[in-house]
Every structure is written in C-alpha cells, then in structure tokens.
Amino acid sequence: MSHASPAPLQLRQITSFFVGGGIRSLSGLPVEHLRFAQNGPMRAVDPNGDYISGQMYVQAYLQAEPRHPLPVVLWHGGGMTGANWESTPDGRPGWLDLLLRARFDVYVCDAVERGRAGWSRWPEIYTQAPLHRTLDEGWDMFRIGPAEGYRTHAQGRRAHDGQQFPVEAFDRFAAQWVPRWAGHEEATLAAYGALLTRMGRCIVVGHSQGGGFALEAARRWPGQVAAVAAIEPSGAPRPDALPDPPVSLPPHLCMWGDFLALHPIWLRYRENVDAYCRALQSAQVRVDRCDLPAEGLHGNSHFPMMDRNSDAVGRRLLDWLEACTAA
Amino acid sequence: MSHASPAPLQLRQITSFFVGGGIRSLSGLPVEHLRFAQNGPMRAVDPNGDYISGQMYVQAYLQAEPRHPLPVVLWHGGGMTGANWESTPDGRPGWLDLLLRARFDVYVCDAVERGRAGWSRWPEIYTQAPLHRTLDEGWDMFRIGPAEGYRTHAQGRRAHDGQQFPVEAFDRFAAQWVPRWAGHEEATLAAYGALLTRMGRCIVVGHSQGGGFALEAARRWPGQVAAVAAIEPSGAPRPDALPDPPVSLPPHLCMWGDFLALHPIWLRYRENVDAYCRALQSAQVRVDRCDLPAEGLHGNSHFPMMDRNSDAVGRRLLDWLEACTAA
C-alpha cells in the first residue's frame, strides 16, 4: 500500500511565551568564583538578588485556517514536559501532530518547575529537594511491565504481554523525564490559572498529574475551560469540592489504558477520579469515560499518546473533542 | 501603511527527539515516602536505580518545500533554552520565525542540563550545585544597563542610552532563564556531537556560550558543520587548538552588539574570540566579522535576537547564511 505525503501543516504563527510567576529576592548568601566561558577568566557569582519564580512556558501553534473555534491546551504529567506530546519515543508523530492536522490551534505547556519553565533555588525558594525518577520506577508506575521485570540492560527486561508501549524505545523515553518537586500543586495551578485568564476559553487536555490539574482547573475556572479531557489522571478534586449549588461545569472526558489491576496504586488513583466523576454526574455535568480495553483497545500503558496504537487512541480523543465542542 | 498577513508557514512536519546521554546507576541512597497525586496515597520513592544522563532535546521544523539544502541548528547560551529563538520577550516573532519564513529547515536545541533536556541528581551524578542567575547579574552581563542601574522595581531601573533591548520586558525575559552548572562543557559538546552525527551536514548558529560551542564544533567536526555563525560568543577554542597542518574548516561568522566597553568582561571574552579568529584566518579559513555598531546598528544588547531591531540584525545573519552556503 502506498501512502501519499500528507498535506503540509499551514500555520499562521509559531511562537512561545511565559506566564505567571513573580520576583523573589534573596540575600545573605555567599559569593562564589567560577569560570563559565571556554578559556575565559574566573568571575564572581553573587546569588543574592532577584529571581523570577512560579512561571510556566507555553508554545503556541496557530493555524492559518483553524477548523475549530477553540484552541486545545496540552498539560503534561509529573516529571515530564510538553515534549510528551510532540513525538513518540520510537519516532512517530505525537498527538500534537494529530491535533494540528485536525486544524486545532494548539498550546503546548511546560508546567512550573519543568522543562523550559525553569525552576528555583532551594532551600531558599523551593523548600524541598527535587525528585528524579528512576527507570526502574517508571517501568512499574507507567505500567510498562511488572516492577521486577526491569533490568538495566534492555534485552533482559520483561514487559506486560500485549504491551502497546514501544518497549525498545523505553530508554529514549526516559531521556525526556525531568526532575520535579512534591507539594508544588498550588504554584503550578496558579500559573495555569494565569494562562487561562490570558487565553480566554479553551479546551484543556491533561495527562496524569496534568489530568488532575485539568479537572481542578475546570472546577475552579469553568468560564475559561470549555471542555476538559483527562488522560490517565493521577488525581482529581475531592468529590465534596464541587460548589453547592453546583455551577455549570464543562463536559469531561476521562480516558484509561490497560494493566491497572497489575499496579494497585493505579486502582487507588482511579478510584479517586471515579468518585469525583460520580459527583460530577450527580451535579448533571456531562462525564464520558473512555476505558480503552472495554472499547477493544488492549495493552495501553500510562502513556497512550506514545503507544503503538497512539493514532487510534488519539482519534478517539479527537472525536470526543469535536463532538462535545460542536454540541 | 497597511500590512497584508504574511503567507502561512508550510511545514511537512514538526517533531522532536532526544539525542546523546546514557544510563547512570545509583545505589545506597535512602528511600523517601511522599504524596504526589491530588488526594492520593503516600508512596515510597526509591532513588536507587538507573537514570539517563547527558541527553539533549531537539525540536525540528521541516519545510514542505525547503529553499535551502542545509538545515540550520540553533544553540542557545548559558542558563538559557531554545525558547530564546522562538519569540522576543515583548512578544514579537523571534529568529525561528525569520528562518522558517526564509524556508530553512530549523532544529532548535535545549542543551544538556537545560530546559526539556532535563538534568541529573547531584552530588551523585553532577558533582556541583546548580547556579541560578539573578536579574541583577543579567542586567549587567547581558549589557542591558550598568550594574548599578538595576532595581527590583522596573520603574527605578536605568538602562544604557540607546538600548535596543525591550527593557520593559526584562522580567518576562528573566522568566525564561534556567539554572546551569559550571564545568559541563564536555558533556554538552558530546551531545552536540551526537546530534551532528545524526543530522549530517548542517549550519550551526550559536549564541553566547552556544556560540563558543558552535566554534568548537566546527573545529572538531568540520565534516558535519557546513557554516558556523557565532552570535556574541562568550568563548572560543584556544588559537593553538587548530589542527596542524590546518584542515579545511567551514566559513565562520562572529557577530557582536554594542556596549562591550562598558562591561570589561566582554572585552576579555571578545579578545579570546578575536585571537581564535586571527588563527583561523592565518589558516586560510573564511571569517566574517559583523560588528553591528560599526555597520550602523547601534544599541544592541547581548541578545540581538530579542532587541527591537532583531529583524534587521536577523536579516544580516540570513544574508550571510545565504551567501556562504550558496558559494
């Protein structure tokens, strides 16, 4: 079967900006002397002074002729960056490509403290040390295979039977993990709130921790969030956090992959999300659940946008976005 | 005067990848217990295991119909990311836009340890603590104004007379600074070398520290680097580092802004670069110097791609690229 080249992406503009955050001032720290430039002189480095902290990074892809009135905003998960959406670790196009070819305007975010958003000194500004995820932990937490199936050498690793993640590219995937901090939820949400204020109405698609933030953003800022899709959300607002009387919240989608029962922490995470979804439904909010195995798509990891069937899964997301924003 | 909308960018593909680095294994570290997910359970975090370290991030913008046979690779400076090239802090299009509209394929890089490239634990993998740049230092080092002209409150700041940097957006600019480490030159160059091996021949445009890396890359890998433009390079190889007998090195451009004499460290940095350029010329390598004030463009900071006259400066870079790659 021969494939014609797809039509080119036609974009009015590609740009980026930073939003949120503010100045933090430090004093009383010792001055260091270091060499930075190749063959350059030593110079004093004085850490006392002003820093920007709490900002996030956003890259915007704007269509020459958008087919949809509302842009899609992509929020990655914990210890990740917007690179999650751009390609798959085995080199196929990511969901960014899918959304651009569907002619959505797309905004790809790096959350506070991650990727191009930068991060702040600790213990002076951040109070805790960063956390770096091991490949060992990712193999288990991302439901690639059983915890005991991880080995340093790729040929010794054991993945789940029927795994859709491109297991041979797991190390390439791990190259895109970045450090993170526990307890920075409010700072992250503050920057997301600043973004939504700047953007006006949009569709938020969040993954994992970003899925939980997306659900929370829809609850806090329902005037800005026209629809919210949480892909494998690791958290959700508490069911009793819905306003009483309930306000009009946008349509919600929660999408889940496979192998949850083999990683019990995911059953607990999902139960929190399910409890919130039940509360939403009681409040007459539209909630669609896309349980991929129940719909005949088996073997998805925690990262369906990177799995071998990422196009098929992404198509379901697109269908939902088009259906619920056209309604 | 009315402006028609520019023609859309027509791109075959936008994608990204990670290159370089490898597995580092840690053991003997204590296990922590933390909560990550909204309302989720505490879970153990075991830092012992494998990490990827030494990788870099590359975003590729590929033209539907490139006008030039060689792609342009953009290398940012110290404590920066590829966001430097995407827009100006006051919201105008960056040099990425200029290069894409000239129909170059463009690869925007985040160097090892910065932005989406991620960074590694220390003191276990990196041996030193990170360095976070203050706004105070940036005001001076980036030649926005005299060191004593910086104030926390923007209205109290004093910039150089005739400054082209959009001073009112200095805090927005500082939002894109990221931490860095001294002494990581070889790790950074190793990943750049892996990138050049993967890409084949290309044009390298580097800024500041990235300009020094670009000069070094052209010296180490002249078969891959077809032309090199160093914008305000903060370093250069030692003049005696050229191979003897000299091999055929690609054409070089060194571009400099204004106000160097007001910041003497820049005179020292520039003297190192000039000494290397003289050695190149003695070895019959084409070296073009673009001293912006001498060419009638006054007031440029260390970041000409962000200055108010960034389009005019960028046009000179484009002219050089087109002239020396057509030759």
Side-chain angles (χ1 to χ4, degrees):
Chain A
M1 193 168 75
S2 86
H3 291 273
S5 297
L9 301 169
Q10 303 217 29
L11 300 175
R12 175 167 61 82
Q13 195 183 12
I14 300 170
T15 188
S16 63
F17 57 89
F18 290 76
V19 64
I23 286 187
R24 295 287 301 270
S25 303
L26 298 181
S27 59
L29 298 166
V31 174
E32 295 186 79
H33 288 81
L34 295 160
R35 176 178 289 110
F36 288 98
Q38 284 173 74
N39 311 317
M42 298 285 279
R43 67 175 179 83
V45 178
D46 184 350
N48 300 294
D50 296 335
Y51 298 88
I52 304 290
S53 183
Q55 73 278 19
M56 62 176 287
Y57 165 80
V58 186
Q59 189 171 17
Y61 302 86
L62 306 179
Q63 300 285 340
E65 297 179 19
R67 191 183 289 156
H68 305 276
L70 295 173
V72 173
V73 182
L74 297 176
W75 293 357
H76 61 73
M80 300 287 156
T81 77
N84 275 192
W85 309 102
E86 293 174 345
S87 63
T88 69
D90 57 340
R92 290 170 293 116
W95 283 4
L96 170 61
D97 184 84
L98 201 71
L99 289 160
L100 291 178
R101 292 192 193 277
R103 299 227 308 269
F104 280 99
D105 286 344
V106 183
Y107 291 73
V108 179
C109 301
D110 286 2
V112 170
E113 98 195 2
R114 279 161 283 189
R116 290 175 168 174
W119 48 281
S120 298
R121 279 182 73 104
W122 83 93
E124 298 88 1
I125 297 179
Y126 293 172
T127 56
Q128 297 182 59
L131 293 155
H132 300 250
R133 199 193 304 270
T134 61
L135 276 69
D136 317 53
E137 181 186 298
W139 189 262
D140 176 17
M141 279 298 292
F142 302 155
R143 308 198 312 272
I144 311 299
E148 68 277 11
Y150 177 78
R151 294 288 182 280
T152 298
H153 295 289
Q155 56 272 37
R157 296 175 189 164
R158 186 163 54 83
H160 292 311
D161 287 342
Q163 177 58 258
Q164 289 281 359
F165 189 88
V167 173
E168 74 286 359
F170 182 71
D171 290 5
R172 280 297 91 191
F173 173 40
Q176 72 179 264
W177 305 353
V178 298
R180 63 193 171 139
W181 280 259
H184 284 190
E185 288 81 3
E186 279 306 318
T188 305
L189 275 163
Y192 280 143
L195 172 64
L196 294 175
T197 297
R198 174 180 169 140
M199 289 193 58
R201 275 172 76 72
C202 59
I203 299 163
V204 179
V205 176
H207 172 252
S208 193
Q209 185 195 42
F213 287 138
L215 297 172
E216 175 64 14
R219 188 188 73 82
R220 287 196 194 184
W221 303 295
Q224 268 77 50
V225 180
V228 55
I231 313 299
E232 291 253 334
S234 61
R238 293 162 51 95
D240 59 7
L242 284 176
D244 182 23
V247 297
S248 172
L249 292 188
H252 285 57
L253 172 70
C254 288
M255 181 184 281
W256 296 99
D258 209 338
F259 309 121
L260 273 73
L262 298 176
H263 301 265
I265 195 168
W266 280 104
L267 294 179
R268 280 178 286 166
Y269 286 165
R270 180 165 177 174
E271 176 44 37
N272 286 345
V273 176
D274 285 346
Y276 181 64
C277 288
R278 287 191 296 271
L280 287 169
Q281 289 175 308
S282 297
Q284 313 304 322
V285 176
R286 173 176 166 183
V287 180
D288 294 300
R289 272 177 263 197
C290 176
D291 187 305
L292 293 170
E295 299 191 9
L297 288 174
H298 294 279
N300 279 104
S301 74
H302 181 50
F303 285 83
M305 71 288 255
M306 299 182 187
D307 289 343
R308 293 189 205 285
N309 61 354
S310 59
D311 282 349
V313 179
R315 187 69 243 169
R316 286 173 194 240
L317 171 65
L318 275 182
D319 289 347
W320 185 83
L321 294 179
E322 290 179 353
C324 81
T325 57
Chain B
M1 193 168 73
S2 86
H3 290 274
S5 296
L9 301 169
Q10 302 217 29
L11 300 175
R12 176 167 61 82
Q13 195 183 11
I14 301 169
T15 188
S16 63
F17 57 89
F18 291 76
V19 64
I23 285 186
R24 295 287 301 269
S25 303
L26 298 181
S27 59
L29 299 166
V31 173
E32 295 186 78
H33 289 82
L34 295 160
R35 176 178 288 110
F36 289 97
Q38 283 174 74
N39 311 316
M42 299 285 278
R43 67 174 179 82
V45 178
D46 184 350
N48 300 294
D50 296 335
Y51 299 88
I52 304 290
S53 184
Q55 74 277 21
M56 62 176 287
Y57 165 80
V58 186
Q59 188 170 17
Y61 302 86
L62 306 180
Q63 301 285 340
E65 296 179 19
R67 192 183 289 156
H68 305 276
L70 295 173
V72 173
V73 182
L74 297 176
W75 293 357
H76 61 73
M80 300 287 156
T81 77
N84 275 193
W85 309 102
E86 293 174 344
S87 63
T88 69
D90 57 341
R92 291 170 293 114
W95 284 4
L96 170 61
D97 184 84
L98 201 71
L99 288 161
L100 290 178
R101 292 192 193 278
R103 299 227 307 271
F104 280 99
D105 286 344
V106 183
Y107 292 73
V108 179
C109 301
D110 286 2
V112 170
E113 96 195 4
R114 280 161 282 189
R116 289 174 169 175
W119 48 281
S120 298
R121 279 182 73 105
W122 83 92
E124 297 89 0
I125 297 178
Y126 293 172
T127 56
Q128 298 182 58
L131 293 155
H132 300 250
R133 199 193 304 269
T134 61
L135 275 69
D136 316 53
E137 180 186 298
W139 189 262
D140 176 18
M141 279 297 292
F142 302 155
R143 308 198 313 271
I144 310 299
E148 67 278 11
Y150 178 78
R151 294 289 183 280
T152 298
H153 295 289
Q155 56 271 38
R157 296 175 190 165
R158 185 162 54 83
H160 292 311
D161 287 342
Q163 177 59 258
Q164 288 280 0
F165 189 88
V167 174
E168 74 286 0
F170 182 71
D171 290 6
R172 280 297 91 192
F173 173 41
Q176 71 179 265
W177 305 352
V178 298
R180 63 193 170 140
W181 279 258
H184 285 190
E185 288 81 3
E186 279 306 318
T188 304
L189 275 163
Y192 280 143
L195 172 64
L196 294 175
T197 298
R198 174 181 168 137
M199 289 193 58
R201 276 172 73 74
C202 59
I203 299 163
V204 179
V205 177
H207 172 252
S208 193
Q209 185 195 43
F213 287 138
L215 297 172
E216 175 64 14
R219 188 188 72 83
R220 286 196 196 185
W221 304 295
Q224 268 76 51
V225 179
V228 55
I231 313 300
E232 291 253 333
S234 61
R238 292 162 51 96
D240 59 7
L242 284 176
D244 182 24
V247 298
S248 172
L249 293 188
H252 285 58
L253 172 70
C254 287
M255 181 184 281
W256 297 99
D258 209 338
F259 309 121
L260 273 74
L262 298 176
H263 301 265
I265 195 167
W266 279 104
L267 295 179
R268 281 178 285 165
Y269 286 165
R270 180 166 177 174
E271 176 44 36
N272 285 345
V273 176
D274 285 346
Y276 181 64
C277 288
R278 286 191 296 271
L280 287 170
Q281 288 175 308
S282 298
Q284 313 304 321
V285 177
R286 173 176 167 182
V287 179
D288 294 301
R289 271 176 263 198
C290 176
D291 186 304
L292 293 170
E295 298 192 10
L297 288 174
H298 294 279
N300 279 104
S301 74
H302 181 50
F303 285 84
M305 71 288 255
M306 300 182 187
D307 289 342
R308 292 189 204 286
N309 61 353
S310 58
D311 282 350
V313 179
R315 187 68 244 168
R316 286 174 194 240
L317 171 65
L318 275 182
D319 289 347
W320 186 83
L321 293 179
E322 290 179 353
C324 81
T325 58

